[in-house]
């Protein structure tokens, strides 16, 4: 049987009957506003969720699995990187660029010419820009195998030499690399390894009379290269006030980071970085006809002029 109604209504019923009553029209309006608020909230939540999905939660790395992976070796074999000074003489800068571009055109390479003021160096000398410039080039050309940094003080003087076939193959590297030699001359206790195979080498550089000479060096593309450049560019080294800035910082990390020394090949200077003047290696550093590079270290300092010192070499190249 259904419960019987009582003749005495419950207290809350009496209060509802005797208290303030909301007009029906206002109730309907409140219901519509509440429903509208709920709908807007749901739509807002869905919009935010959709945006997070599109942006990967705000992190660029989350998109990486959806991007096509570029295989190293699928691009040009070499990219030549030269950092230029936007304050330098434009005519001379144009000659430097043309020197690299002509060489790159002959051998199917590419070039990259960033300015020395486009990277955040935190007060370090502008010469440090060579390190992030190499990292930048790797980002722009992920399929390239080798990245060759060549300072603006140098010229390519023998366009017939293709660096990736005459120097950078495993057999050529094994033939040319200098083993069991002090990393910093004349008597550094840290020496180059004597049993490295050419296919394990990822960093190629020469010495001059004073030490490692990173005004011309080559790095093989890959995760190790990114690690190496990041270590070299660490803010600790940039702020340490080495006498020769990134030159001495490089010597430090090569000697005291075994993971770098294990990928490091030191080669005769005349193969990649002959000096037309300056502290050339006594054994093989002075420029001679037929060398790939003629470098004029320091020609942009102490009142010297790179344009004037290089002009006789430009004249010869123009005849060729």
């Amino acid at each position: 049987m259904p419960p019987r109604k009582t003749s005495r209504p419950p207290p809350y019923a009496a209060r509802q009957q005797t208290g303030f009553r909301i007009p029906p029209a206002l109730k309907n309006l409140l219901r519509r506003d509440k429903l509208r608020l709920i709908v807007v909230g749901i739509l807002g939540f869905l919009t935010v969720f959709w945006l997070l999905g599109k942006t990967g939660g705000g992190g660029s790395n989350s998109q990486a699995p959806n991007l096509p992976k570029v295989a190293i070796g699928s691009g040009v074999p070499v990219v030549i990187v030269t950092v230029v000074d936007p304050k330098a003489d434009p005519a001379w800068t144009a000659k430097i660029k043309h020197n690299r571009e002509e060489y790159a055109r002959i051998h199917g390479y590419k070039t990259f010419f960033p300015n020395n003021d486009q990277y955040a160096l935190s007060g370090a000398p502008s010469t440090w820009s060579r390190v992030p410039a190499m990292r930048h080039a790797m980002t722009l050309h992920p399929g390239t195998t080798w990245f060759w940094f060549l300072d603006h003080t140098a010229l390519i003087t023998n366009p017939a030499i293709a660096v990736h076939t005459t120097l950078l193959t495993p057999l050529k590297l094994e033939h040319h690399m200098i083993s069991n030699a002090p990393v910093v001359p004349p008597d550094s206790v840290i020496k180059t390894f004597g049993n490295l195979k050419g296919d394990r080498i990822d960093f190629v550089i020469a010495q001059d009379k004073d030490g490692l000479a990173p005004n011309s060096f080559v790095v093989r593309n890959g995760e190790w290269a990114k690690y190496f450049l990041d270590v070299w560019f660490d803010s600790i080294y940039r702020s340490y006030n080495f006498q020769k800035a990134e030159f001495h910082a490089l010597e430090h990390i090569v000697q005291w980071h075994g993971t770098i020394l294990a990928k490091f090949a030191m080669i005769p200077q005349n193969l990649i970085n002959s000096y037309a003047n300056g502290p050339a290696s006594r054994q093989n550093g002075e420029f001679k006809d037929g060398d790939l590079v003629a470098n004029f270290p320091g020609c942009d300092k102490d009142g010297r002029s790179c344009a004037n010192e290089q002009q006789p070499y430009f004249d010869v190249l123009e005849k060729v």
Side-chain angles (χ1 to χ4, degrees):
M1 294 179 59
R4 296 178 61 184
K5 291 184 180 180
T6 175
S7 59
R8 307 178 82 180
Y12 59 81
R15 283 195 295 271
Q16 284 182 344
Q17 292 173 358
T18 58
F20 175 76
R21 299 184 62 186
I22 301 175
L26 183 57
K27 284 184 177 181
N28 292 334
L29 180 61
L30 290 174
R31 288 194 190 99
R32 287 197 299 270
D33 287 346
K34 186 176 181 180
L35 180 61
R36 187 181 298 113
L37 183 62
I38 293 172
V39 171
V40 170
I42 293 173
L43 289 176
F45 174 80
L46 292 176
T47 300
V48 171
F49 186 80
W50 179 80
L51 288 173
L52 288 175
K54 292 291 284 184
T55 61
S60 59
N61 290 338
S62 60
Q63 292 191 35
N66 299 323
L67 296 176
K69 187 174 179 61
V70 178
I72 296 173
S74 62
V76 299
V78 177
V79 170
I80 305 168
V81 180
T82 296
V83 178
V84 297
D85 184 353
K87 298 177 183 177
D89 175 26
W92 171 72
T93 299
K95 286 185 175 183
I96 291 294
K97 291 182 177 180
H98 180 71
N99 175 255
R100 278 74 162 151
E101 290 167 344
E102 277 298 294
Y103 176 75
R105 180 186 60 79
I106 293 171
H107 300 291
Y109 301 165
K110 287 189 176 180
T111 57
F112 179 49
F113 302 109
N115 290 337
N116 64 6
D117 61 357
Q118 72 181 73
Y119 304 109
L121 303 179
S122 303
S126 62
T127 53
W128 272 98
S129 59
R130 72 191 66 206
V131 185
M134 290 288 278
R135 197 76 157 79
H136 189 180
M138 290 179 180
T139 302
L140 296 177
H141 303 281
T144 291
T145 304
W146 294 99
F147 292 83
W148 178 17
F149 176 82
L150 187 62
D151 205 2
H152 63 281
T153 62
L155 294 178
I156 297 172
T157 49
N158 190 344
I161 297 176
V163 70
H164 76 290
T165 56
T166 60
L167 176 60
L168 299 176
T169 65
L171 288 178
K172 294 290 187 180
L173 284 173
E174 289 177 24
H175 174 71
H176 291 300
M177 60 192 294
I178 303 171
S179 302
N180 297 312
V183 171
V184 179
D187 54 4
S188 169
V189 297
I190 306 299
K191 294 178 169 43
T192 56
F193 289 164
N195 57 352
L196 290 181
K197 296 298 183 182
D199 58 0
R200 297 293 304 276
I201 299 301
D202 287 349
F203 174 37
V204 182
I205 194 170
Q207 273 182 343
D208 61 19
K209 181 174 68 69
D210 295 334
L212 296 181
N215 38 28
S216 178
F217 65 92
V218 185
V219 176
R220 188 201 304 266
N221 194 5
E223 292 304 313
W224 183 91
K226 296 171 185 176
Y227 154 77
F228 159 62
L229 293 171
D230 288 349
V231 170
W232 189 4
F233 196 62
D234 192 283
S235 59
I236 293 177
Y237 301 125
R238 281 181 284 135
S239 63
Y240 189 76
N241 198 26
F242 287 106
Q243 182 182 2
K244 293 179 68 176
E246 73 282 0
F247 282 52
H248 284 169
L250 177 63
E251 291 178 348
H252 173 82
I253 63 174
V254 170
Q255 291 183 94
W256 303 112
H257 287 255
T259 51
I260 292 175
L261 189 62
K263 294 284 191 176
F264 167 82
M266 196 162 63
I267 60 173
Q269 189 179 351
N270 60 350
L271 294 181
I272 197 173
N273 197 15
S274 299
Y275 283 2
N277 53 41
S281 167
R282 294 185 179 91
Q283 292 79 25
N284 47 46
E286 293 184 3
F287 176 80
K288 62 183 184 302
D289 289 342
D291 284 350
L292 174 62
V293 168
N295 206 334
F296 303 77
C299 66
D300 55 349
K301 300 174 182 177
D302 302 325
R304 295 166 58 187
S305 168
C306 292
N308 291 341
E309 293 182 26
Q310 293 173 346
Q311 188 57 49
Y313 293 78
F314 278 124
D315 293 340
V316 172
L317 288 170
E318 288 172 2
K319 292 178 182 178
V320 173

